[in-house]
Amino acid sequence: MKTRMRFTKTGSMKFIGHLDCMRFFQKAIRRAKLDVAYSQGFSPHQLMSFASPLGVGVTSDGEYLDVEFHSLPDMPLPELVNYLNQFMTEEIFVTEIEIMPDGFKNSMSLLQSADYMIVEKQPEVFPKNWKEKWEQFMEQPAITVVKKTKKSEKEIDLKPHILAWSFERPEEVGTIHCEYEGETLYLSLTSGSETNIKPELVLSAFYTFCQAECRPYSYQVHRLQMHFAESGRKK
């Protein structure tokens, strides 16, 4: 039985890396005594995969995890969410569990885009008149940057990968578990294995355009949601 879980990661848990986050879920599932499926071989491990590992320091209300079980307790899924959360914390917890049909692809392979909010941790972090400058930034015919990976770096045009942006909170956004309030930029960016654009890269390009210094720890990146190919826009 294959499931997809949506979860929130916020507060001090933003400093927990991907591998520790995976171990956290493994331990929570074991403590809940759920009948999780394991791989075969000399070193069995729980069958789980994350849609897109979250960077250290980034918080989120829209993380997704695929987990395979042999069976699940005989209870409605909302009750299962509450039961599992008894073995989690107030800063990382499950908000939804969905049973997936047989033969579905994992969420990592289906990921197409992700929505983010970037909020100031203190006043005047963004450049002066930043909203006007952002509109000028987006009016450019191309936004050329160097995208670095572990193996290489290449020049790309960011503009086609900024799918949407707003200064106002989108209507479809639900509860946001982010500790900061202030000037905010909302972005929808291409995501997934083919082209994964991080909001930090967009913000760095924007500061370069403004001829201003980008201070990475002066703002908070919060992922709001991910969107997958097979089911359209998640709610």
Side-chain angles (χ1 to χ4, degrees), residues 85-109:
N85 282 336
Q86 295 178 40
F87 306 92
M88 308 193 82
T89 75
E90 294 180 352
E91 295 182 333
I92 181 167
F93 54 91
V94 174
T95 57
E96 179 184 348
I97 298 177
E98 181 181 4
I99 297 176
M100 307 305 292
D102 292 337
F104 89 106
K105 296 181 180 179
N106 64 45
S107 54
M108 181 180 293
S109 65

Side-chain angles (χ1 to χ4, degrees), residues 134-192:
W134 174 266
E135 292 177 342
Q136 295 171 358
F137 174 71
M138 290 303 301
E139 286 173 358
Q140 297 178 99
I143 303 173
T144 304
V145 299
V146 175
K147 185 175 185 291
K148 297 180 180 180
T149 65
K150 292 181 179 180
K151 297 182 179 179
S152 64
E153 57 181 52
K154 63 178 180 179
E155 197 174 80
I156 66 167
D157 179 9
L158 270 182
K159 190 167 183 178
H161 302 292
I162 303 175
L163 306 177
W165 61 269
S166 175
F167 302 135
E168 304 295 331
R169 174 173 168 161
E171 293 182 0
E172 66 271 18
V173 174
T175 302
I176 298 177
H177 295 88
C178 183
E179 59 187 307
Y180 298 103
E181 295 182 1
E183 292 290 316
T184 304
L185 174 65
Y186 296 89
L187 294 174
S188 180
L189 305 175
T190 301
S191 191

Side-chain angles (χ1 to χ4, degrees), residues 23-215:
R23 295 186 188 102
F24 176 89
F25 272 91
Q26 291 171 341
K27 291 178 180 179
I29 288 172
R30 285 202 301 269
R31 287 168 180 159
K33 298 182 179 180
L34 297 179
D35 190 14
V36 66
Y38 283 82
S39 64
Q40 304 298 314
F42 293 104
S43 182
H45 58 271
Q46 293 181 19
L47 296 178
M48 63 169 55
S49 64
F50 290 76
S52 179
L54 201 63
V56 175
V58 180
T59 55
S60 178
D61 279 308
E63 296 305 286
Y64 287 87
L65 167 68
D66 296 336
V67 187
E68 187 170 344
F69 296 92
H70 292 298
S71 63
L72 287 173
D74 186 18
M75 63 176 70
L77 292 179
E79 291 185 18
L80 180 60
V81 168
N82 294 333
Y83 170 70
L84 183 56
N85 282 336
Q86 295 178 40
F87 306 92
M88 308 193 82
T89 75
E90 294 180 352
E91 295 182 333
I92 181 167
F93 54 91
V94 174
T95 57
E96 179 184 348
I97 298 177
E98 181 181 4
I99 297 176
M100 307 305 292
D102 292 337
F104 89 106
K105 296 181 180 179
N106 64 45
S107 54
M108 181 180 293
S109 65
L110 295 168
L111 182 60
Q112 291 186 324
S113 65
D115 299 340
Y116 299 89
M117 60 178 281
I118 303 172
V119 58
E120 294 178 323
K121 288 186 177 180
Q122 56 190 18
E124 300 182 359
V125 165
F126 292 153
K128 187 177 181 180
N129 300 324
W130 74 275
K131 291 184 178 180
E132 179 182 345
K133 290 179 179 178
W134 174 266
E135 292 177 342
Q136 295 171 358
F137 174 71
M138 290 303 301
E139 286 173 358
Q140 297 178 99
I143 303 173
T144 304
V145 299
V146 175
K147 185 175 185 291
K148 297 180 180 180
T149 65
K150 292 181 179 180
K151 297 182 179 179
S152 64
E153 57 181 52
K154 63 178 180 179
E155 197 174 80
I156 66 167
D157 179 9
L158 270 182
K159 190 167 183 178
H161 302 292
I162 303 175
L163 306 177
W165 61 269
S166 175
F167 302 135
E168 304 295 331
R169 174 173 168 161
E171 293 182 0
E172 66 271 18
V173 174
T175 302
I176 298 177
H177 295 88
C178 183
E179 59 187 307
Y180 298 103
E181 295 182 1
E183 292 290 316
T184 304
L185 174 65
Y186 296 89
L187 294 174
S188 180
L189 305 175
T190 301
S191 191
S193 56
E194 186 172 337
T195 304
N196 188 62
I197 302 298
K198 295 183 178 181
E200 295 89 344
L201 181 62
V202 178
L203 205 61
S204 177
F206 173 57
Y207 272 78
T208 298
F209 174 80
C210 296
Q211 297 182 338
E213 179 186 2
C214 183
R215 294 175 288 160

